[in-house]
Amino acid sequence: MKSIKEMEHKKVLVLGLAKSGVAAAELLHKMGAFVTVNDAKPFEENTDAQRLLQQGITVICGRHPEDLLDEGFELVVKNPGIPYTNILVADAVKRGIPIWTEIELAYLISEAPMIGITGSNGKTTTTTLLYHILKQGGLNPLIAGNIGTVACSVTENATPDNVVVTELSSFQLMGTEHFKPKIAIWTNLYEAHIDYHGSMEEYSNAKFAVTRNQDASDYLIYNADQEVVVSYANKSHARKIPFTTNGINYLGISADDEMVYWLGKPFIKRSIIALPGQHNLENVLVAVAAAIIMDCPKDKIEHVLSSFTGVKHRTQFVREWQSRKIFNDSKATNTLATRSALAAFTQPIVLLAGGLDRGHSFEELRPHMGNVHAVVVAGETAKRFAEFAESCGVEKIAYANDMESGVKQAADLSNEEDVILLSPACASWDQYPTFEVRGDKFIEAAMKL
């Protein structure tokens, strides 16, 4: 860990706990800052706050005092999920107090080069795939960020011999000031999180932070098939590596129906890639490009590509049952993700869908419903999705109260050689606390068949 003197005796407010807040508070305390933690959860129920208090950190729990910033804080480190409309965050903005997420701390203390991966979709698969390729290549990678491992805890113990592969959300990137990864990856950009950011422009600007501070010694791998991403990439000062799935590109990494090309020259055959779907081809391209930049041996790249079948809850192969293949895509919490999942298969599909009703349309799925011959719906959007499926010509429609009954009905509606696919196109919160819990329930039910 780099020795950072600028935090000594600095008065810092850590807003919101959970894993990232706890890690940031403990790190700042070690760095000599005067740390105060503020969390909405009452102290008597807040084991994290209790532990931090024992370490000598000031804790204020159960409320967010409106006058808290009058205490003279010089920096706010906030949980990424806390919006900028929060009364304390808005007050900090008004007072000109810097607002960071722990990603900025992670970068400042890291002795290892960092790879930052962002995008509306594909971040987790890309991050995990790249991690496995670099590990196979002997490059000592560490994995961190929005994927579930707090970045500043990872970089605290990183050495110059490591490389930190970091998944970054727009929420995390908004809280960066000096963050400058050696390699930045921007997979794609679609409308998302507007309720948090307020506009597509603000969301896009947050994503741009992954490359904003890069210079000619760094690399930006970006989606050349999306004009909006290209327009932002043109503002970057990094060495640019475009990726495209629409034929050969001589400036970066690309693919056609047969091959993956690096700088216009054949690199690997597409037939060795185990991950299904066009959307996953994009993830493969960016991971391979980053691995090449990191001088990872080609045979190690090929080995991982031929064996890596996906990340849990993301078009994850669960099992084969009576000549049906069952896939868990619980992470598909919007129509864009479900569209990609449907497009990944040529076989007939029994689709399990539905969840939290945010009032969004399912029309984006219509061109991809041709292979869907049966649908099992659940959750708040069950009736709306059933009506949509019927309008697409799907004749077999069933309703489920829980995942176990849903999987049983999907099995009953399926035929040999079908794909049974959970890809809800909706968030899980009407029935399950997270998409992970929803996916785990699906896997559990599928294994009982």
Side-chain angles (χ1 to χ4, degrees):
M1 171 175 121
K2 289 179 182 176
S3 178
I4 305 296
K5 298 295 184 183
E6 65 185 87
M7 292 299 166
E8 285 186 4
H9 311 305
K10 199 165 196 170
K11 201 163 184 183
V12 182
L13 173 65
V14 175
L15 187 58
L17 283 178
K19 290 188 293 184
S20 67
V22 171
E26 291 178 334
L27 176 60
L28 287 161
H29 185 61
K30 290 177 189 175
M31 295 166 73
F34 299 127
V35 182
T36 297
V37 168
N38 181 217
D39 192 70
K41 191 175 183 179
F43 181 77
E44 58 274 11
E45 302 171 12
N46 200 326
T47 55
D48 288 332
Q50 292 167 22
R51 189 173 85 249
L52 293 174
L53 182 64
Q54 290 175 354
Q55 296 177 36
I57 295 172
T58 302
V59 296
I60 300 172
C61 294
R63 62 193 182 94
H64 296 302
E66 294 185 15
D67 60 350
L68 185 56
L69 294 184
D70 290 342
E71 299 296 323
F73 291 105
E74 302 166 81
L75 173 67
V76 173
V77 178
K78 77 174 189 69
N79 183 291
I82 297 175
Y84 283 73
T85 53
N86 173 278
I87 190 167
L88 287 178
V89 178
D91 191 22
V93 171
K94 188 183 298 183
R95 294 172 185 246
I97 301 172
I99 302 168
W100 291 358
T101 58
E102 58 87 21
I103 293 296
E104 181 73 5
L105 291 175
Y107 170 73
L108 291 177
I109 65 170
S110 182
E111 294 185 5
M114 297 183 73
I115 299 175
I117 300 167
T118 197
S120 301
N121 287 305
K123 295 186 296 296
T124 300
T125 299
T126 300
T127 301
T128 308
L129 175 59
L130 178 56
Y131 168 79
H132 284 295
I133 293 173
L134 297 180
K135 186 175 182 181
Q136 186 70 25
L139 295 172
N140 302 314
L142 304 171
I143 196 165
N146 197 48
I147 200 165
T149 310
V150 179
C152 68
S153 296
V154 173
T155 59
E156 186 177 356
N157 300 304
T159 72
D161 292 329
N162 296 122
V163 55
V164 182
V165 185
T166 316
E167 179 184 330
L168 299 166
S169 70
S170 58
F171 303 167
Q172 292 168 312
L173 286 168
M174 275 193 79
T176 58
E177 186 175 345
H178 303 97
F179 177 66
K180 180 179 177 288
K182 182 65 180 176
I183 301 174
I185 294 173
W186 193 339
T187 61
N188 48 55
L189 185 68
Y190 300 101
E191 186 171 305
H193 305 305
I194 304 304
D195 52 345
Y196 182 99
H197 291 285
S199 69
M200 186 63 184
E201 183 180 9
E202 289 301 315
Y203 173 59
S204 304
N205 288 339
K207 291 292 190 186
F208 179 68
V210 76
T211 185
R212 181 179 56 210
N213 297 320
Q214 288 188 299
D215 57 36
S217 66
D218 305 313
Y219 295 85
L220 170 63
I221 303 168
Y222 68 96
N223 192 330
D225 294 333
Q226 285 194 302
E227 289 185 12
V228 63
V229 176
V230 173
S231 68
Y232 275 96
N234 288 338
K235 302 176 185 178
S236 172
H237 298 291
R239 177 178 173 181
K240 299 176 182 64
I241 307 294
F243 75 86
T244 176
T245 60
N246 293 318
I248 302 174
N249 184 306
Y250 291 89
L251 300 177
I253 193 162
S254 55
D256 59 19
D257 291 339
E258 301 294 330
M259 297 290 299
V260 170
Y261 302 87
W262 175 248
L263 303 180
K265 296 180 180 179
F267 186 72
I268 56 170
K269 292 181 179 180
R270 280 190 56 178
S271 58
I272 74 165
I273 299 171
L275 270 175
Q278 185 74 11
H279 63 300
N280 277 323
L281 177 60
E282 296 181 356
N283 301 332
V284 166
L285 292 182
V286 294
V288 169
I292 292 171
I293 292 168
M294 295 298 296
D295 294 324
C296 188
K298 180 182 176 182
D299 64 319
K300 304 301 184 183
I301 296 173
E302 290 179 324
H303 175 78
V304 175
L305 293 184
S306 64
S307 58
F308 184 83
T309 56
V311 180
K312 193 175 183 182
H313 309 304
R314 294 159 176 84
T315 326
Q316 170 201 5
F317 176 66
V318 176
R319 66 174 294 199
E320 186 164 337
W321 172 80
Q322 296 186 6
S323 299
R324 286 90 160 157
K325 288 185 169 66
I326 302 176
F327 288 84
N328 163 33
D329 192 38
S330 183
K331 179 61 172 65
T333 57
N334 56 51
T335 54
L336 175 65
T338 296
R339 184 184 73 181
S340 295
L342 292 174
F345 300 102
T346 57
Q347 306 97 313
I349 296 171
V350 178
L351 176 65
L352 292 90
L356 184 73
D357 195 347
R358 285 172 162 167
H360 62 289
S361 170
F362 299 115
E363 280 300 314
E364 192 174 18
L365 300 179
R366 188 175 294 278
H368 304 275
M369 291 289 287
N371 287 343
V372 178
H373 73 86
V375 166
V376 179
V377 292
E380 292 178 357
T381 60
K383 187 173 184 296
R384 283 209 303 116
F385 200 97
E387 291 172 349
F388 166 73
E390 187 176 4
S391 75
C392 294
V394 179
E395 296 180 356
K396 298 176 183 177
I397 297 173
Y399 287 77
N401 293 321
D402 55 37
M403 198 57 73
E404 186 167 359
S405 67
V407 169
K408 285 179 179 177
Q409 291 187 82
D412 290 341
L413 293 171
S414 67
N415 304 310
E416 289 188 4
E417 308 305 325
D418 278 2
V419 164
I420 297 174
L421 171 66
L422 170 68
S423 191
C426 300
S428 63
W429 305 322
D430 58 333
Q431 291 182 298
Y432 304 97
T434 65
F435 73 83
E436 291 96 340
V437 172
R438 177 171 64 187
D440 288 339
K441 292 292 184 183
F442 174 78
I443 294 170
E444 184 181 319
M447 299 308 292
K448 289 179 179 178
L449 288 175

